[in-house]
Amino acid sequence: MLLLSLLRDGNSDFDETPDLATMKSSIDSSKCIVFHSDYFLKGHGDTKSAQWLNEVDVNYVRPISCINIDAYEPYLALPWCPSLKLNHHTLQSKVLLTERFDEYYNNNTSNEAEPWSPLTPYYDERFYGYGKNKLQHIFHLQQTGYAFSVIPTMGFLTHHPHPDSTTKIHWVIRSRHYVDDQENVKVKMKRLYKTYKCEIEKEYKKLYPLPTDSC
């Protein structure tokens, strides 16, 4: 799985994503910064964008040894190609994969089409509103055994600032002034995320060492 460095366009005049040289110049002049690095560095901190900017080998995909699972929200490039539906997840140990493949082919004597599912887990639809949905997806990917790596400087994204959505405004205001309110979405999603992590950890049970661990 590849991570894309995400840079926020502050006050530059980009009509479209610029080339790397222009981007570096904009960062040097403080026209662009790493996304949310001005107030929430953890969100993209594990990508280590400053290091990324100085990596000159476009063929080198830098692995990430560990991530902050409660804060890291990178943009990802992921496979989605169908695979045999071994379970609702597909990235398991090779031993389990072999056993389940054998079980399927030995028991399937009809001419029915092979069941399939995407390689990448879906987002959990219990999460709604502004926060935690990306975190739950990153956590799910990590627990299924995805290895996190940073794409070389041949590719990156720019984010253009925009007014806050009504969903974010609702998230922020209620979290500040209605801590015990049943409609406080931030509190509800934080509790759900904690429950969700327990569910996923119980399901996968770390049957193999994780390629990218939690920091």
Side-chain angles (χ1 to χ4, degrees):
M1 176 175 59
L2 298 177
L3 281 65
L4 292 157
S5 280
L6 183 63
L7 305 164
R8 191 184 74 188
D9 172 18
N11 56 352
S12 62
D13 298 321
F14 298 149
D15 293 325
E16 56 186 22
T17 299
D19 58 31
L20 183 63
T22 304
M23 178 59 68
K24 285 184 175 180
S25 175
S26 296
I27 291 174
D28 290 340
S29 61
S30 299
K31 291 183 178 180
C32 288
I33 61 172
V34 175
F35 188 64
H36 285 177
S37 61
D38 50 344
Y39 71 92
F40 189 61
L41 185 59
K42 294 179 180 179
H44 289 264
D46 291 328
T47 305
K48 301 187 186 307
S49 295
Q51 177 181 339
W52 171 83
L53 282 167
N54 293 314
E55 291 171 349
V56 295
D57 185 356
V58 296
N59 296 312
Y60 176 62
V61 177
R62 172 167 49 86
I64 297 179
S65 60
C66 68
I67 57 175
N68 184 334
I69 206 62
D70 292 324
Y72 192 41
E73 298 182 330
Y75 277 54
L76 310 172
L78 291 160
W80 192 85
C81 300
S83 65
L84 281 179
K85 193 170 186 180
L86 310 173
N87 201 322
H88 79 268
H89 54 82
T90 59
L91 295 180
Q92 304 180 54
S93 68
K94 292 182 179 179
V95 174
L96 287 177
L97 286 175
T98 303
E99 290 176 351
R100 291 185 182 277
F101 266 97
D102 290 343
E103 178 184 355
Y104 173 78
Y105 283 116
N106 290 336
N107 295 333
N108 184 22
T109 57
S110 66
N111 294 322
E112 67 182 37
E114 295 178 352
W116 62 272
S117 64
L119 283 171
T120 302
Y122 289 111
Y123 280 85
D124 191 311
E125 295 184 1
R126 290 177 295 175
F127 290 85
Y128 65 92
Y130 179 74
K132 303 299 181 183
N133 56 333
K134 293 192 293 294
L135 287 179
Q136 68 82 196
H137 195 235
I138 294 295
F139 184 71
H140 196 165
L141 292 168
Q142 183 220 27
Q143 292 294 306
T144 55
Y146 271 90
F148 289 65
S149 300
V150 182
I151 199 169
T153 51
M154 60 191 296
F156 58 91
L157 297 173
T158 54
H159 169 82
H160 293 265
H162 54 79
D164 287 343
S165 65
T166 53
T167 303
K168 181 176 181 179
I169 293 172
H170 177 82
W171 172 277
V172 172
I173 291 178
R174 284 198 172 274
S175 67
R176 289 177 179 174
H177 302 292
Y178 302 96
V179 177
D180 298 322
D181 193 338
Q182 292 297 316
E183 298 304 316
N184 188 333
V185 179
K186 186 173 184 178
V187 172
K188 291 166 69 174
M189 293 303 103
K190 286 179 68 175
R191 290 172 179 167
L192 176 58
Y193 181 57
K194 185 176 180 179
T195 300
Y196 177 82
K197 288 200 299 180
C198 292
E199 294 172 353
I200 293 297
E201 287 175 342
K202 182 179 180 180
E203 179 176 354
Y204 291 97
K205 297 179 181 178
K206 293 190 176 179
L207 297 174
Y208 46 84
L210 296 177
T212 301
D213 211 339
S214 302
C215 295

